[in-house]
Amino acid sequence: MTRIALHINGAPHEVEADPATPLLYVLRNQLGLTGAKLGCALEQCGACAVLVDGAARPTCVAPVGQFEGAQIETVEGLGDAGRPGPVQRAFIDEAAAQCGYCTPGLVVAVEALRRREPPPDEAAGRAALKGHLCRCGTHAAVLRAVARVLRERAA
Ligand code: FES
Ligand code: FES
């Protein structure tokens, strides 16, 4: 076990962990940040994505030791039920979740898009979400949410 310093949702955290442990397990099991989900465990579905220095990254394989010094943002850092962030608001308004299992990963991916400079067009938005699978078939609603977020950003 090693003491590992992480910066998550604007606050410093220290955990005792094997540096080879995937970041997702540390987030969920040691820090109680259960928004990111374990889906495939193969970096193939996007359910476990968080923002790392502003980019959406899967966390189910990448070892926690790689993330020292990085700015990590989980879906919990982007708003909550009482004060949803702009992407969460758009997902609510477009009913872009069914079971919700894939939704945290999608929300952080769309947040990365929302911050992108220059703003992405629709095609770039679709491409950025390619690695996010949804077994409930919310894709059309998610794309409406993306369009809404990009429209609001442009306004
Ligand atoms: S659980 Fe990480 S990409 Fe599927
Ligand atoms: S909303 Fe159920 S997996 Fe996407």
Side-chain angles (χ1 to χ4, degrees):
M1 289 290 181
T2 306
R3 189 169 289 271
I4 297 171
L6 298 171
H7 198 273
I8 305 170
N9 297 332
H13 294 268
E14 279 206 350
V15 294
E16 290 277 346
D18 179 339
T21 306
L23 175 61
L24 180 66
Y25 297 102
V26 173
L27 292 174
R28 291 181 56 85
N29 300 338
Q30 291 184 243
L31 297 171
L33 294 166
T34 56
K37 300 289 187 282
L38 181 65
C40 63
L42 293 168
E43 296 191 339
Q44 297 290 311
C45 75
C48 63
V50 303
L51 295 176
V52 178
D53 295 330
R57 280 189 54 181
T59 59
C60 57
V61 174
V64 64
Q66 281 184 2
F67 294 90
E68 279 196 291
Q71 298 291 325
I72 298 166
E73 293 169 86
T74 69
V75 72
E76 291 91 343
L78 302 182
D80 57 32
R83 295 184 60 185
V87 174
Q88 292 161 330
R89 181 81 255 159
F91 270 64
I92 294 165
D93 290 346
E94 297 295 347
Q98 286 188 39
C99 80
Y101 203 82
C102 68
T103 309
L106 278 161
V107 166
V108 299
V110 176
E111 177 65 21
L113 273 177
R114 189 181 76 83
R115 297 180 191 177
R116 197 184 279 183
E117 287 292 349
D121 58 17
E122 195 194 325
R126 279 175 184 260
L129 300 183
K130 238 179 170 175
H132 290 262
L133 307 183
C134 172
R135 64 189 168 187
C136 298
T138 60
H139 307 87
V142 168
L143 290 174
R144 287 198 306 273
V146 171
R148 180 184 283 260
V149 165
L150 297 179
R151 265 198 320 275
E152 287 172 357
R153 186 191 144 158

